[in-house]
Every structure is written in structure tokens, then in C-alpha cells.
Amino acid sequence: MFSDVDTPAVLVDLDVAEANIGRFQEHCNTHGLKLRPHIKTHKLPMLAKAQMKAGAIGITCQKVSEAEAMVAEGGIDDVLITFNILGAEKTQRLRALANRVRLSVVADNMTVVDGLSTAFAGAERPLDVLVECDTGAARCGVTSPEAAASLAGLIHGKPGLRFAGLMTYPPVGGEAHVQAWMTQAVAVIEARGLRVDVISNGGSPGMWRAQDVSVATEYRIGTYIYNDRSLVERGVVTWDDCALTVLATVISVPAKDRAVIDCGTKVLTSDLLGLDGSGHVLGRPDIKVAALSEEHGVLTAESIGFSVGQRLRIVPNHACVVSNMLDEVVLVRNETIIGAEPVAARGKVW
Ligand SMILES: Cc1ncc(COP(=O)(O)O)c(C=O)c1O
């Protein structure tokens, strides 16, 4: 299996990734939602451009350096960074980025807003700032519609900034709650005389219910391009929809019920996403990826049936973190190797 590829390797099947891009773009088109894919899943400018070509309005990045890597070669002109950006070094880089693309960012507190305003005061175009809202996921975000309205008012009054709307990373299954929360926030903000142009929602677990938050104007989604074991286990997609797999070689078969492969947490990562085991061996649902150390992966099954040197493909629990582990991915179409692609935004976490 892919005998020309050294292992461990991360394979990306372009046929599957392109089908995933097309299928969800069509879903958004059908429901009148703009699509703004989160590139933290693939970190590849070539796939970001494929997403734009299919109809996305722009991309989402989590970090400034990630955005810089994505726009470096041109072809991407609209970026939302969904992270509180703190510190003069970073906000100055944001200003440079804003000269190249239509840039928007989020904030959930005044320390961030003040820093953004200092960097953008006197800028040719004000920076669009969305208020990040905690609609139940309990990460960042203001915790009530009233708090969203008061931060919106403060952003509106700041030099160099424009209040552009609201953003949330929703709780899984929380569509009705997000809809009610955002509807209330819009009402309170409009009562203050401000416009809410953008309402940005999104995540792959709720992808087929994106339209249930009808107040949203755009959907941000990352994992859908590759998919992974977590989404299959949730019933969102099937194994055939998984574009990213890890190619591994069996290096030891110490017992009838156990084999060891040449990759551990440094490829598959220790991100379990709440699942039992660290991946799914394609074609062998009876196998458990039972334990990982840094470079070893231990597979167990009643009868493991492997021999040393045999190769297998694993769908990881969480594709996005695996993308950040190796310098390049191997592009394939079904059983044909297309080439290797450097992961341009790998390690861009500042
Ligand atoms: C701010 C934000 N938006 C969108 C997403 C996309 O989520 P998913 O990978 O589930 O599509 C994430 C995921 O971490 C996120 O943090």
C-alpha cells in the first residue's frame, strides 16, 4: 500500500477533500449562508484557495502567524481571525495584514479592544471587530446579550475600529439556544442605534443543522474538509468521507492479539476528543488503537492478523491536530500519489 511513501506519513485524498468542500458549499448555498472555512484543519494555502474557488467568502484563522502564512502567496483576500489578539508586536502585524486583505478580528474584553485601537488609530480603513459571544461553549466570549451590546458600543467609540457584528463558537447541539441568544443580542444592539452586519457561527459537529441558526449570516467550519473519527462517531459523516489518514507500518507483532506501529503521539497526537482509543484502522473495525507512546502505537484485537512490515491506514480521532505534526502531507487520489505538499502554516501558533 503506497509502497513509495515512507512512513509514518499523513495522506490527504484530494478526491475526498474536494467532494467535502463541494458538498458543504452546496448546503450553505441552499440555505443562503455564507461560508468562511477555518483553515486550522489543513493549514495549506492550496486547499484554502480551493475552498474560495468553490464559493467561500473568505477564510478563518486562529492566529496572526497562521493568517500571514495563508496570504503570503496571494489569492486570499478576506480573513477573519477568531482570537483575542494581545500585545503591540501582534497588533502591528495585524495592521500590516490589513493592508493586504480585508481583515476582521474578534474581541471579548476592553484590554484587547484598546490594543487594537492603538494599533489602528489613523489607519486608512478602520479595523472590523466582532464581539465574541459565549453562547454555551464556555470558552472565550461575553456571557450575555447585554454585555455584547455594551462592548459593541465601546468598540464603536474607539479610534481606528468599526463594530462589525457578533461571532460565536457554539456548543454542540445548541442551535436553538444560539439562535435565541443572538436574536436577543441583535435587538439590544440595534436599540442602541448600531448595525449588526455579520453574525458568524460555526463548527463541524453541527454542520448539517447550520441553517437552524437562521439569524447567522456566515458559517465557519474547519474539520469538514478532512473529517475524522470524532465526526464519524457522532454520525455526521462516514469513513468514506475521511480525507486525511495516517499511513503506518507494523514494526512488531509481539503477541497474537497485539501489534505495534511506527507512530505514536508525535503523529496521531494525544487528543482523544473523548473517544476510547486513538484512531480507526481502515477496514479493521475490530482493532483498537489502544495505547500510544511518542513513537509507538499499540494495536489490539482478538486476533491481530498482521505481519511485520505490513502497512495500514488510520483515521485519527481529530484531524486538525494531526495536520500540525508533520512538515508535509502526501497528496493522493484514491491509490495514486499526486505529490508532497509543505504544510505552510504548520507550527504557526503565535
Ligand atoms: C473559533 C472557531 N471557529 C470555527 C471552528 C471550526 O470548528 P470545526 O473544526 O469543528 O469545524 C473552530 C474550531 O476549533 C473554532 O475554534
Side-chain angles (χ1 to χ4, degrees):
M1 187 197 295
F2 296 113
S3 52
D4 292 342
V5 177
D6 205 358
T7 67
V10 174
L11 309 183
V12 171
D13 190 314
L14 290 175
D15 286 342
V16 180
E18 286 162 7
N20 292 339
I21 292 171
R23 190 168 50 149
F24 193 64
Q25 183 66 55
E26 200 178 311
H27 184 82
C28 287
N29 294 348
T30 303
H31 295 285
L33 262 178
K34 293 171 183 158
L35 179 58
R36 182 184 284 283
H38 204 316
I39 60 75
K40 50 105 190 180
T41 300
H42 54 72
K43 290 176 171 273
L44 301 175
M46 65 168 281
L47 288 184
K49 286 181 202 169
Q51 289 168 310
M52 299 282 293
K53 198 166 165 215
I57 57 157
I59 61 169
T60 309
C61 297
Q62 208 74 325
K63 295 296 182 72
V64 182
S65 57
E66 200 178 46
E68 289 167 340
M70 296 310 287
V71 307
E73 61 183 52
I76 291 167
D77 58 4
D78 190 318
V79 178
L80 166 65
I81 301 181
T82 46
F83 206 84
N84 279 335
I85 307 297
L86 271 176
E89 198 270 335
K90 287 192 177 76
T91 54
Q92 283 307 326
R93 280 169 36 217
L94 275 186
R95 183 149 171 185
L97 206 53
N99 290 330
R100 306 188 55 180
V101 297
R102 201 180 103 70
L103 182 69
S104 46
V105 299
V106 305
D108 74 352
N109 67 74
M110 272 314 285
T111 308
V112 169
V113 171
D114 285 337
L116 294 171
S117 176
T118 302
F120 279 79
E124 209 172 295
R125 264 179 305 141
L127 176 67
D128 278 357
V129 183
L130 311 183
V131 172
E132 179 164 2
C133 303
D134 176 8
T135 53
R139 197 169 65 178
C140 284
V142 297
T143 53
S144 71
E146 293 69 28
S150 79
L151 192 57
L154 292 166
I155 292 167
H156 179 67
K158 280 283 173 185
L161 307 184
R162 186 181 85 92
F163 167 68
L166 305 170
M167 167 265 169
T168 191
Y169 181 53
V172 176
E175 286 78 13
H177 183 64
V178 175
Q179 172 73 7
W181 203 109
M182 286 296 187
T183 304
Q184 173 67 11
V186 170
V188 191
I189 293 169
E190 287 183 347
R192 289 176 172 229
L194 292 177
R195 265 191 11 227
V196 184
D197 289 338
V198 176
I199 299 182
S200 182
N201 180 39
S204 295
M207 63 196 276
W208 304 121
R209 294 187 303 275
Q211 65 281 6
D212 292 357
V213 182
S214 59
V215 69
T217 59
E218 68 174 36
Y219 205 73
R220 305 178 320 278
I221 185 164
T223 313
Y224 84 112
I225 186 168
Y226 286 164
N227 295 315
D228 57 22
R229 181 173 172 229
S230 78
L231 290 174
V232 175
E233 299 283 348
R234 283 182 193 278
V236 179
V237 295
T238 68
W239 298 118
D240 288 343
D241 303 319
C242 293
L244 181 146
T245 51
V246 170
L247 182 68
T249 300
V250 175
I251 57 159
S252 175
V253 186
K256 181 178 151 295
D257 59 356
R258 179 159 47 95
V260 182
I261 54 172
D262 58 352
C263 61
T265 56
K266 284 182 173 168
V267 178
L268 288 166
T269 85
S270 44
D271 195 349
L272 291 173
L273 282 184
L275 300 173
D276 189 22
S278 293
H280 169 80
V281 180
L282 281 182
R284 288 291 305 269
D286 59 314
I287 291 180
K288 181 174 176 185
V289 183
L292 301 180
S293 47
E294 286 179 56
E295 306 291 4
H296 298 78
V298 176
L299 313 182
T300 57
E302 207 172 292
S303 174
I304 201 78
F306 283 135
S307 48
V308 172
Q310 209 168 327
R311 287 168 160 226
L312 47 96
R313 289 171 79 176
I314 299 173
V315 177
N317 286 13
H318 190 183
C320 312
V321 285
V322 173
S323 288
N324 194 48
M325 298 308 277
L326 300 189
D327 289 337
E328 59 181 34
V329 291
V330 178
L331 304 177
V332 303
R333 288 191 187 276
N334 200 0
E335 299 286 315
T336 306
I337 297 168
I338 307 298
E341 183 72 13
V343 184
R346 174 185 182 228
K348 305 292 188 202
V349 291
W350 60 90

